[in-house]
Amino acid sequence: MTEPAFFILTALLDAPRHGYGIVSDVAELSRGRVQLKIGSLYGVLDRLVVDGLVELDREEAWQGRLRRYYRLTERGRHALAAEAERLAANARIASARLRELHPRPITGPAPS
Amino acid sequence: MSRLEERYRLLLRLLPADYRREWEDDMVAAFLESMDTGDAETSAYVADYGRPQLSEVASVIALAARLRLGGTDAPPRSYAWGEAVRLATLMATLAHAVMVTAGVAITTWLSGNIAWLPAPPPDWMPVAAGNLWRTAWDLADYAWLPAYVALVLGHRRVAQALALLAILPPALTNAVRQAAGEVPPSASPWVMLLLDGVLVLAMAAFHDDAAPVPRRRWLRALPIGILLVPVPLFAVQATSQVLRLLDWPGLSCVLVSVATVIHLAGRRPYRPARALPWSLALTLLATTILALRLVTMVDYGHQAQHATLLTIAAAEAAVLLAVGAPLAAMTIRALRRLPAAPTEPPREGIGP
């Protein structure tokens, strides 16, 4: 699973969101690191819909336009949980190895 | 509809029609919302005079490349175009990589480091060595070699960066020389620069959905290509003057003509799915090289042997047209027979 797909699924976890709502939430969740462009968002979103991880929730009128809201499917929730577990397991392995090799935090060069 | 919306919808026309039917309005709504500043006056100004940012344009181009130049899960027609562009890009980058090795050999020969070859003619002696900066500048062209390897190994962005490194220094040198009157103004370097730019853009076809390039085959193609093209050319060049009449567009015509003849002779009518991407790739290359050959003939007006050069160039173009036209006709017929909608596409990896 790519990082944008991971964050898009995470953004849809608590509530259905529309396109720009997903972009804003992903930026917030990733602390500004993942700034999705609209072309990139829909490039990921269309695949998530085709794969059955995300589906259309509803359409709402907003300023004379129809906003489409998307929601996570049960399959999407499982896929996200599996990916989060995989990433957490990887992080645990790296943290354990780091603690083993560098028991104390490295604070900078030793004073001369 | 605001001017900004018109501009964004125009940009979205890069996407296939069926994709736009499904997603365009939603993309437009999200885009306009992303451009909303919250201040009525500023938003009204942006609606009239704003344009999609370059990063937005790039994201739509990347999406269009993924959809139109499809990967393994794409509809058959999109998959055929995708494979063809990837094959044509690999072949063109391979040609650059192979030919820069000839540049290395010729430089070594001219500097007198290949003792067993006849001495080069006096008027071919190298220009006096410049400073280190100038030498490094001249060596930039060799970046095609690592660019090709990076493309085969799946590092598309690295390949694009290296290709730009190979393209830009010669282009700048040429611009300065033409502006200073050191060389007569000519169209050829600019047309070739344009084609190299298109080649860098075409590398976008190697997106995440595309199957990986069969590494062994395409890496093996590098030494084989060197043995088949620059080595014989170098041997002839060291012993005769005849290759002075063969320029890069001419050599490209010969190579694409030979590749087309081999492809046509080896086609198996009962395996059209496998042959189509190769047919389409060679048709794309033949069309491009034919245009390059015709445009660059204009520059022969300045040359001393222009009548001979024009005759040779016309013959090169005629041969390429003679082998390329039947291939193009067959390819177009085969493409039309392919369904545009998803069915079971051919699942052959790209490979020679």
Side-chain angles (χ1 to χ4, degrees), chain B residues 154-198:
Chain B
H155 304 292
R156 189 240 307 170
R157 287 182 202 282
V158 176
Q160 285 176 309
L162 285 166
L164 281 177
L165 186 68
I167 293 167
L168 294 179
L172 282 173
T173 306
N174 183 57
V176 170
R177 283 185 179 161
Q178 285 199 10
E182 284 180 35
V183 289
S186 60
S188 306
W190 302 114
V191 180
M192 286 192 258
L193 174 67
L194 176 71
L195 292 184
D196 286 342
V198 171

Coordinates of all heavy atoms in Angstrom, one line a residue, chain B residues 154-198:
Chain B
G154 N 14.5 0.3 -13.2 CA 13.2 0.7 -12.6 C 13.3 2.0 -11.8 O 12.4 2.4 -11.1
H155 N 14.5 2.7 -12.0 CA 14.6 4.0 -11.3 C 14.3 5.2 -12.3 O 15.2 5.8 -12.8 CB 16.0 4.2 -10.8 CG 16.4 3.1 -9.8 ND1 15.9 2.9 -8.6 CD2 17.3 2.1 -10.0 CE1 16.4 1.9 -8.0 NE2 17.3 1.4 -8.8
R156 N 13.0 5.3 -12.5 CA 12.5 6.2 -13.6 C 12.9 7.7 -13.4 O 13.4 8.3 -14.3 CB 11.0 6.1 -13.7 CG 10.5 6.8 -14.9 CD 9.5 7.9 -14.5 NE 8.4 7.4 -13.7 CZ 7.6 8.3 -13.0 NH1 7.7 9.5 -13.2 NH2 6.7 7.8 -12.2
R157 N 12.8 8.1 -12.2 CA 13.1 9.5 -11.9 C 14.6 9.8 -12.0 O 15.0 10.8 -12.5 CB 12.6 10.0 -10.5 CG 11.1 10.1 -10.5 CD 10.6 10.5 -9.2 NE 9.2 10.2 -9.0 CZ 8.2 10.8 -9.5 NH1 8.4 11.8 -10.3 NH2 6.9 10.4 -9.3
V158 N 15.4 8.8 -11.6 CA 16.9 9.0 -11.7 C 17.2 9.0 -13.2 O 18.0 9.9 -13.7 CB 17.6 7.8 -11.1 CG1 19.1 7.9 -11.3 CG2 17.3 7.8 -9.6
A159 N 16.6 8.2 -14.0 CA 16.8 8.1 -15.4 C 16.5 9.5 -16.1 O 17.2 10.0 -16.9 CB 16.0 7.0 -16.1
Q160 N 15.3 10.0 -15.7 CA 14.9 11.3 -16.2 C 15.9 12.4 -15.9 O 16.3 13.2 -16.7 CB 13.5 11.7 -15.7 CG 12.4 10.9 -16.4 CD 11.0 11.2 -15.8 OE1 10.8 11.1 -14.6 NE2 10.1 11.4 -16.7
A161 N 16.4 12.4 -14.6 CA 17.3 13.4 -14.2 C 18.7 13.3 -15.0 O 19.2 14.3 -15.4 CB 17.6 13.3 -12.7
L162 N 19.1 12.1 -15.1 CA 20.4 11.8 -15.8 C 20.2 12.2 -17.3 O 21.2 12.8 -17.9 CB 20.8 10.4 -15.7 CG 21.4 10.0 -14.3 CD1 21.4 8.5 -14.2 CD2 22.8 10.6 -14.2
A163 N 19.1 11.9 -17.9 CA 18.9 12.3 -19.3 C 18.9 13.8 -19.5 O 19.4 14.3 -20.4 CB 17.5 11.7 -19.8
L164 N 18.3 14.5 -18.5 CA 18.3 16.0 -18.6 C 19.7 16.5 -18.5 O 20.1 17.4 -19.2 CB 17.4 16.6 -17.5 CG 15.9 16.5 -17.7 CD1 15.2 17.1 -16.5 CD2 15.6 17.4 -18.9
L165 N 20.5 15.8 -17.7 CA 21.9 16.2 -17.5 C 22.7 16.0 -18.8 O 23.6 16.7 -19.2 CB 22.6 15.3 -16.4 CG 24.0 15.6 -16.0 CD1 24.0 16.9 -15.3 CD2 24.5 14.5 -15.1
A166 N 22.3 15.0 -19.6 CA 22.9 14.7 -20.9 C 22.5 15.7 -21.9 O 23.2 16.0 -22.9 CB 22.6 13.3 -21.3
I167 N 21.2 16.2 -21.8 CA 20.6 17.0 -22.9 C 21.0 18.5 -22.7 O 21.3 19.1 -23.7 CB 19.1 16.9 -22.8 CG1 18.6 15.5 -23.2 CG2 18.4 17.9 -23.7 CD1 17.2 15.2 -22.8
L168 N 20.9 19.0 -21.5 CA 21.0 20.4 -21.4 C 22.3 21.1 -21.7 O 22.4 22.1 -22.4 CB 20.5 20.8 -20.0 CG 19.0 20.5 -19.7 CD1 18.6 20.9 -18.3 CD2 18.1 21.3 -20.7
P169 N 23.5 20.5 -21.2 CA 24.8 21.2 -21.5 C 25.0 21.3 -23.0 O 25.4 22.4 -23.5 CB 25.8 20.3 -20.8 CG 25.1 19.6 -19.7 CD 23.7 19.4 -20.3
P170 N 24.8 20.3 -23.9 CA 25.1 20.5 -25.3 C 24.1 21.5 -25.9 O 24.5 22.3 -26.8 CB 24.8 19.1 -25.9 CG 24.9 18.1 -24.8 CD 24.5 18.8 -23.6
A171 N 22.9 21.5 -25.4 CA 21.9 22.5 -25.9 C 22.4 23.9 -25.6 O 22.3 24.8 -26.4 CB 20.5 22.3 -25.3
L172 N 22.9 24.1 -24.3 CA 23.3 25.5 -23.9 C 24.5 25.9 -24.8 O 24.6 27.0 -25.2 CB 23.7 25.5 -22.4 CG 22.5 25.6 -21.5 CD1 22.9 25.4 -20.1 CD2 21.8 26.9 -21.7
T173 N 25.5 24.9 -24.9 CA 26.7 25.2 -25.7 C 26.3 25.6 -27.1 O 26.8 26.6 -27.7 CB 27.6 23.9 -25.8 OG1 27.8 23.5 -24.4 CG2 28.9 24.2 -26.5
N174 N 25.4 24.9 -27.7 CA 24.9 25.2 -29.1 C 24.3 26.5 -29.2 O 24.5 27.3 -30.1 CB 24.0 24.1 -29.5 CG 23.6 24.3 -31.0 OD1 24.4 24.4 -31.9 ND2 22.3 24.4 -31.2
A175 N 23.4 26.9 -28.2 CA 22.8 28.2 -28.2 C 23.8 29.3 -28.1 O 23.7 30.3 -28.9 CB 21.8 28.2 -27.0
V176 N 24.8 29.1 -27.3 CA 25.8 30.2 -27.1 C 26.6 30.3 -28.4 O 26.9 31.4 -28.9 CB 26.8 29.8 -25.9 CG1 28.0 30.7 -25.9 CG2 26.0 29.9 -24.6
R177 N 27.0 29.2 -29.0 CA 27.8 29.2 -30.3 C 27.0 29.8 -31.4 O 27.6 30.6 -32.2 CB 28.2 27.8 -30.6 CG 29.4 27.3 -29.8 CD 29.9 26.0 -30.3 NE 31.0 25.5 -29.5 CZ 31.4 24.2 -29.4 NH1 30.8 23.3 -30.2 NH2 32.4 23.9 -28.7
Q178 N 25.7 29.5 -31.5 CA 24.9 30.0 -32.6 C 24.7 31.5 -32.4 O 24.8 32.3 -33.3 CB 23.5 29.3 -32.7 CG 23.7 27.9 -33.3 CD 22.3 27.4 -33.8 OE1 21.3 28.1 -33.9 NE2 22.3 26.1 -34.2
A179 N 24.5 31.9 -31.1 CA 24.3 33.4 -30.8 C 25.6 34.1 -31.1 O 25.5 35.3 -31.6 CB 23.9 33.5 -29.3
A180 N 26.8 33.5 -30.8 CA 28.0 34.2 -31.0 C 28.5 34.1 -32.5 O 29.5 34.7 -32.8 CB 29.1 33.6 -30.1
G181 N 27.8 33.4 -33.3 CA 28.1 33.3 -34.7 C 29.3 32.3 -35.0 O 29.8 32.3 -36.1
E182 N 29.6 31.5 -34.0 CA 30.7 30.5 -34.2 C 30.3 29.4 -35.1 O 31.2 28.9 -35.8 CB 31.1 29.9 -32.8 CG 31.9 30.8 -31.9 CD 32.2 30.0 -30.6 OE1 32.4 28.8 -30.6 OE2 32.2 30.7 -29.5
V183 N 29.0 29.1 -35.1 CA 28.5 28.1 -36.0 C 27.3 28.7 -36.7 O 26.6 29.5 -36.2 CB 28.1 26.8 -35.3 CG1 29.3 26.0 -34.7 CG2 27.1 27.1 -34.2
P184 N 27.1 28.2 -38.0 CA 25.9 28.8 -38.7 C 24.6 28.3 -38.0 O 24.6 27.2 -37.5 CB 26.0 28.2 -40.1 CG 27.0 27.0 -40.0 CD 27.8 27.3 -38.8
P185 N 23.6 29.2 -38.1 CA 22.3 28.8 -37.4 C 21.8 27.5 -38.1 O 21.8 27.4 -39.4 CB 21.4 30.0 -37.7 CG 22.1 30.8 -38.7 CD 23.5 30.5 -38.7
S186 N 21.3 26.6 -37.4 CA 20.8 25.3 -37.9 C 19.6 24.8 -37.1 O 19.6 25.0 -35.9 CB 21.9 24.3 -38.1 OG 22.4 24.0 -36.8
A187 N 18.7 24.1 -37.8 CA 17.5 23.6 -37.1 C 17.8 22.3 -36.4 O 17.2 21.9 -35.4 CB 16.4 23.4 -38.1
S188 N 18.8 21.5 -36.9 CA 19.0 20.1 -36.4 C 19.2 20.0 -34.9 O 18.5 19.2 -34.3 CB 20.2 19.5 -37.1 OG 20.1 19.6 -38.5
P189 N 20.1 20.8 -34.3 CA 20.3 20.6 -32.9 C 19.0 20.8 -32.1 O 18.7 20.2 -31.1 CB 21.3 21.6 -32.5 CG 22.0 22.0 -33.7 CD 21.0 21.8 -34.8
W190 N 18.2 21.8 -32.5 CA 16.9 22.1 -31.8 C 15.9 21.1 -32.0 O 15.1 20.8 -31.0 CB 16.4 23.5 -32.2 CG 17.5 24.5 -32.0 CD1 18.1 25.3 -33.0 CD2 18.0 24.9 -30.8 NE1 19.1 26.1 -32.4 CE2 19.0 25.9 -31.0 CE3 17.8 24.5 -29.4 CZ2 19.8 26.5 -30.0 CZ3 18.6 25.1 -28.4 CH2 19.6 26.1 -28.7
V191 N 15.8 20.5 -33.2 CA 14.8 19.4 -33.4 C 15.2 18.2 -32.5 O 14.4 17.6 -31.9 CB 14.7 19.0 -34.9 CG1 13.7 17.9 -35.1 CG2 14.4 20.2 -35.7
M192 N 16.5 17.9 -32.5 CA 17.0 16.8 -31.7 C 16.8 17.0 -30.2 O 16.4 16.1 -29.5 CB 18.4 16.5 -32.0 CG 18.5 15.8 -33.4 SD 20.1 15.1 -33.7 CE 20.9 16.3 -34.8
L193 N 16.9 18.3 -29.8 CA 16.7 18.7 -28.4 C 15.2 18.4 -28.1 O 14.9 17.9 -27.0 CB 17.1 20.1 -28.2 CG 16.8 20.7 -26.8 CD1 17.6 20.0 -25.7 CD2 17.0 22.2 -26.8
L194 N 14.4 18.8 -29.0 CA 12.9 18.7 -28.8 C 12.6 17.2 -28.6 O 11.8 16.8 -27.7 CB 12.1 19.2 -30.0 CG 10.6 19.1 -29.9 CD1 10.0 19.9 -28.9 CD2 10.0 19.4 -31.3
L195 N 13.2 16.3 -29.5 CA 12.9 14.9 -29.4 C 13.4 14.3 -28.1 O 12.8 13.4 -27.5 CB 13.5 14.2 -30.6 CG 12.8 14.5 -32.0 CD1 13.4 13.7 -33.1 CD2 11.3 14.3 -31.9
D196 N 14.6 14.8 -27.7 CA 15.2 14.3 -26.5 C 14.3 14.7 -25.3 O 14.1 13.9 -24.3 CB 16.6 14.8 -26.3 CG 17.6 14.1 -27.2 OD1 17.2 13.0 -27.7 OD2 18.7 14.6 -27.4
G197 N 13.7 15.9 -25.4 CA 12.8 16.3 -24.3 C 11.5 15.4 -24.3 O 11.1 15.0 -23.2
V198 N 11.0 15.1 -25.5 CA 9.9 14.2 -25.5 C 10.3 12.8 -25.0 O 9.5 12.2 -24.2 CB 9.4 14.0 -27.0 CG1 8.4 12.9 -27.1 CG2 8.8 15.3 -27.5

